[in-house]
Amino acid sequence: EVQLVESGGGLVQPGRSLRLSCAASGLNFDDYAMHWVRQAPGKGLEWVSGISWNSGGMGYADSVKGRFTISRDNAKNSLYLQMNSLRPEDTAVYFCAKSKLQYSGFEEYNWFDSWGQGTLVTVSS
Amino acid sequence: DIQMTQSPSSLSASVGDRVTITCRASQSISRYLNWYQQKPGKAPNLLIYVASTLQSGVPSRFSGSGSGTDFTLTISSLQPEDFATYYCQQSYNTPPTFGPGTKVDVK
């Protein structure tokens, strides 16, 4: 059974930094792209960032580009999100999610098939 | 970015009801559409991928359809454990985007 466990959340002042971690088990971690998705209190889901299986490709939402950095350590089965210059609007539960790929002809479909329980980040003075 | 909309934003239903949720994309996304269920305080749970494929372990009362810009999630006979919020998500391009959610609660 796939397990994803986030950690590192907490209360932080605006402008400060925080590093989130996601420990994965029950899967061949280096077979999969991984992502961070967040959810502000009472709001919907927002994709934050994703990283390919070998760290060769990364993507970021415009709202975090230049402030957040995603990384992974396949030897440690771990995913990370370094969050700098935090803003109050970054307050959210941050989920790590594993994506699954399926190829059909020239199509490459993907979806988030496993999620962690989330870690709450609160940015406030 | 591709914008996703859902309707209704909320609905009230009874156990045994047939429930249909609609998702619309701002441009054609072929069948790059996934559905998730989320209960309060929990992580989202994948229900359907590639518009109509049921995720393993998901009850067959859930079904998805559509392609292009218009998609539907149907619950054929609502069960007590189905009261939750449902999100659609496009994976046609980056960034992947989610709909705003449809909350299904007890009538």
Side-chain angles (χ1 to χ4, degrees), chain A residues 84-119:
Chain A
N84 299 332
S85 303
L86 281 161
R87 304 168 179 168
E89 55 265 35
D90 296 319
T91 294
V93 174
Y94 285 72
F95 298 100
C96 71
K98 163 186 164 289
S99 65
K100 181 86 178 287
L101 286 178
Q102 176 179 290
Y103 297 95
S104 177
F106 294 107
E107 309 288 346
E108 180 185 296
Y109 298 100
N110 67 86
W111 53 89
F112 303 121
D113 68 339
S114 297
W115 298 67
Q117 85 290 348
T119 187

Side-chain angles (χ1 to χ4, degrees), chain B residues 30-83:
Chain B
S30 183
R31 294 176 59 79
Y32 288 79
L33 192 283
N34 310 310
W35 289 98
Y36 303 86
Q37 176 194 67
Q38 187 180 33
K39 297 180 180 178
K42 300 295 187 181
N45 181 51
L46 176 69
L47 296 175
I48 287 170
Y49 58 92
V50 194
S52 61
T53 303
L54 201 64
Q55 168 71 345
S56 175
V58 174
S60 59
R61 62 181 179 273
F62 291 92
S63 64
S65 65
S67 66
T69 59
D70 295 316
F71 302 85
T72 59
L73 173 70
T74 299
I75 310 172
S76 60
S77 178
L78 196 68
Q79 297 302 300
E81 59 269 30
D82 301 336
F83 293 102

Side-chain angles (χ1 to χ4, degrees), chain A residues 5-6 11 31 37 104 107:
Chain A
V5 180
E6 302 93 337
L11 174 63
D31 281 347
V37 177
S104 177
E107 309 288 346

Side-chain angles (χ1 to χ4, degrees), chain A residues 72-87:
Chain A
R72 66 190 294 163
D73 185 336
N74 287 345
K76 295 182 177 179
N77 288 354
S78 293
L79 175 72
Y80 306 102
L81 187 67
Q82 178 67 42
M83 304 186 295
N84 299 332
S85 303
L86 281 161
R87 304 168 179 168

